[in-house]
């Protein structure tokens, strides 16, 4: 633990963080104009499920979803072919982020239920063609920072012994750090489920995940000076993203309570007593409402009056930092992008734009990403 703490506080980690912050300023733009945008949640969940099955790291999972988002934003792809694209994105991301023996094999991908249900079979040639198309789309640069690349660096100081819990000194610092990491991972996965989070810089999303976790854990001050200096984000700059995360958390808690009520009714009909809630469920159902009642918010949400208080009451303008923001990358800028159409296993494309090819393969090359991004340093070791 001491060696790990020394690593995160060392100069090398700071240099890597600075390089990633620089690279995120030059990320390709996302416009949210895919004709299949309504299917985006399904394929993001598919990538998450498959990555969990193969025990891939969060960085690989987030990079895969980001590659899929950018590719869908530029091409009109059939629903059947999107399965191949999604798995190819995951395969490329795992090759970039994972060790070689952790990368899924072709036969393992073909054995997935989504492939058999769609009557799809990946061949080596088909997979190579799709990987080449993806690599050419991103100009062979996969060093694209995501929120998962920043979260560990920010978690290294997310909890400190000087923090207060419900206004009292913390009883167990290590246990609080463990809960902080679990909640941060939860909010990180929430950010994968909605394409609206692509409107924020990855470092901002990671920072908002940490801030949201501190809110749920009732730690004060909500946004301490040390986190402001490390992330270079003020509270006011984080509020819109935190709002989205906490609304998603509220919805999840309501859904969990709804399912619990349904299970209780079923158990009563069956003359069985309902099982007692787990410690984690009790923490989410008891701690959150108590904390929400203790805060008032300047942000306006629209929830039915009959529902329980939402996380909107947590966000308070009194947490605004009194010192200036050092560097705050704005939301990703949009720019005109070429669009195409993908058909069949041969991955043929057709758009009225002429783009110079950079490699010789069996499909037509008709897309080029704006700008080139040099890889200065590798991403964090997971």
């Amino acid at each position: 633990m001491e060696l790990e703490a020394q690593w995160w506080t060392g100069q090398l980690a700071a240099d890597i963080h600075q390089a990633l912050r620089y690279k995120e300023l030059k990320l390709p733009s996302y416009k949210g104009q895919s004709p299949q945008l309504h299917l985006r949640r399904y394929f993001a969940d598919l990538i998450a499920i498959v990555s969990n099955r193969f025990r891939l790291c969060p960085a690989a999972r987030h990079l895969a979803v980001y590659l899929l988002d950018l590719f869908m934003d530029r091409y009109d792809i059939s629903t059947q072919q999107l399965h191949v694209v999604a798995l190819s994105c995951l395969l490329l991301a795992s090759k970039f982020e994972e060790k070689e023996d952790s990368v899924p094999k072709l036969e393992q991908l073909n054995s997935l239920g989504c492939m058999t249900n769609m009557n799809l079979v990946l061949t080596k040639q088909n997979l190579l063609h799709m990987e080449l198309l993806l690599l050419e789309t991103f100009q062979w640069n996969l060093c694209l920072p995501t929120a998962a690349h920043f979260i560990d660096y920010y978690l290294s100081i997310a909890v400190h012994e000087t923090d207060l819990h419900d206004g009292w000194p913390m009883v167990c610092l290590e246990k609080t750090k463990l809960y902080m990491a679990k909640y941060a991972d939860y909010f990180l996965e929430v950010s994968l489920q909605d394409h609206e989070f692509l409107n924020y810089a990855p470092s901002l999303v990671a920072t908002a995940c940490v801030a949201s976790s501190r809110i749920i854990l009732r730690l004060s001050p909500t946004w301490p000076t040390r986190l402001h200096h490390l992330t270079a984000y003020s509270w006011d700059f984080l509020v819109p993203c935190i709002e989205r995360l906490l609304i998603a958390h509220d919805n999840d808690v309501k859904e969990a309570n709804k399912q619990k009520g349904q299970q209780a009714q079923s158990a009563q009909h069956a003359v069985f007593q309902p099982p007692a809630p787990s410690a984690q469920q009790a923490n989410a159902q008891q701690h959150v409402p108590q904390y929400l009642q203790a805060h008032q918010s300047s942000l306006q949400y629209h929830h039915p009056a009959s529902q329980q208080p939402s996380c909107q009451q947590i966000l308070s303008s009194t947490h605004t930092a009194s010192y200036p923001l050092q560097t705050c990358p704005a939301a990703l800028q949009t720019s005109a992008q070429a669009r195409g159409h993908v058909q069949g296993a041969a991955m043929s494309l057709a758009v009225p734009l002429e783009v110079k090819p950079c490699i010789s393969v069996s499909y037509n090359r008709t897309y080029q990403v704006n700008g080139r991004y040099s890889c200065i340093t590798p991403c964090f070791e997971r």
Side-chain angles (χ1 to χ4, degrees), residues 64-183:
V65 175
Y66 186 52
L67 293 176
L68 177 65
D69 282 328
L70 294 178
F71 195 80
M72 289 178 61
D73 201 39
R74 289 151 175 79
Y75 294 110
D76 185 2
I77 314 169
S78 66
T79 303
Q80 186 181 41
Q81 198 63 34
L82 270 175
H83 286 83
V84 181
V85 174
L87 293 179
S88 298
C89 289
L90 182 60
L91 195 58
L92 273 182
S94 62
K95 289 179 179 179
F96 187 78
E97 295 287 351
E98 291 281 2
K99 297 179 180 179
E100 183 177 357
D101 55 356
S102 299
V103 177
K105 305 299 187 293
L106 180 60
E107 58 273 13
Q108 292 176 316
L109 295 178
N110 281 325
S111 65
L112 296 174
C114 64
M115 299 296 289
T116 56
N117 292 338
M118 295 294 295
N119 294 323
L120 288 174
V121 178
L122 281 174
T123 64
K124 185 176 181 180
Q125 183 180 12
N126 188 10
L127 196 59
L128 286 176
H129 285 173
M130 178 54 75
E131 287 185 343
L132 286 174
L133 175 58
L134 288 167
L135 288 170
E136 196 175 64
T137 298
F138 302 108
Q139 296 187 351
W140 292 77
N141 171 45
L142 297 183
C143 190
L144 305 173
T146 68
H149 293 96
F150 293 95
I151 194 70
D152 283 347
Y153 187 58
Y154 298 156
L155 281 176
S156 64
I157 64 166
V159 179
H160 193 266
E161 59 185 5
T162 58
D163 291 336
L164 301 179
H165 178 255
D166 278 339
W168 295 88
M170 283 186 293
V171 177
C172 182
L173 179 62
E174 293 303 321
K175 186 176 181 179
T176 305
K177 288 182 177 180
L178 179 62
Y179 273 101
M180 169 63 66
K182 289 183 178 297
Y183 269 113

Side-chain angles (χ1 to χ4, degrees), residues 247 250-251 253-255 257-258 289 292-293 301-313:
I247 289 176
D250 274 352
N251 293 335
V253 171
K254 292 174 184 177
E255 182 65 24
N257 290 334
K258 180 180 178 181
L292 300 184
Q293 296 172 1
Y301 303 159
H302 303 281
H303 290 293
S306 61
Q307 296 179 354
Q308 62 182 1
S310 68
C311 286
Q312 55 141 333
Q313 295 174 301

Side-chain angles (χ1 to χ4, degrees), residues 304-323:
S306 61
Q307 296 179 354
Q308 62 182 1
S310 68
C311 286
Q312 55 141 333
Q313 295 174 301
I314 299 174
L315 303 177
S316 173
S317 58
T318 59
H319 296 291
T320 305
S322 59
Y323 37 90

Side-chain angles (χ1 to χ4, degrees), residues 187 190 197 200 208 212 215 235 238-251 297-303 310-312 315:
F187 283 117
V190 168
F197 285 99
Y200 306 103
S212 300
I215 289 173
W235 177 259
L238 295 173
V239 164
C241 189
I242 295 175
E243 176 186 14
R244 289 185 179 276
L245 292 172
L246 292 181
I247 289 176
H249 177 272
D250 274 352
N251 293 335
S297 172
S298 60
L299 298 176
Q300 299 298 324
Y301 303 159
H302 303 281
H303 290 293
S310 68
C311 286
Q312 55 141 333
L315 303 177

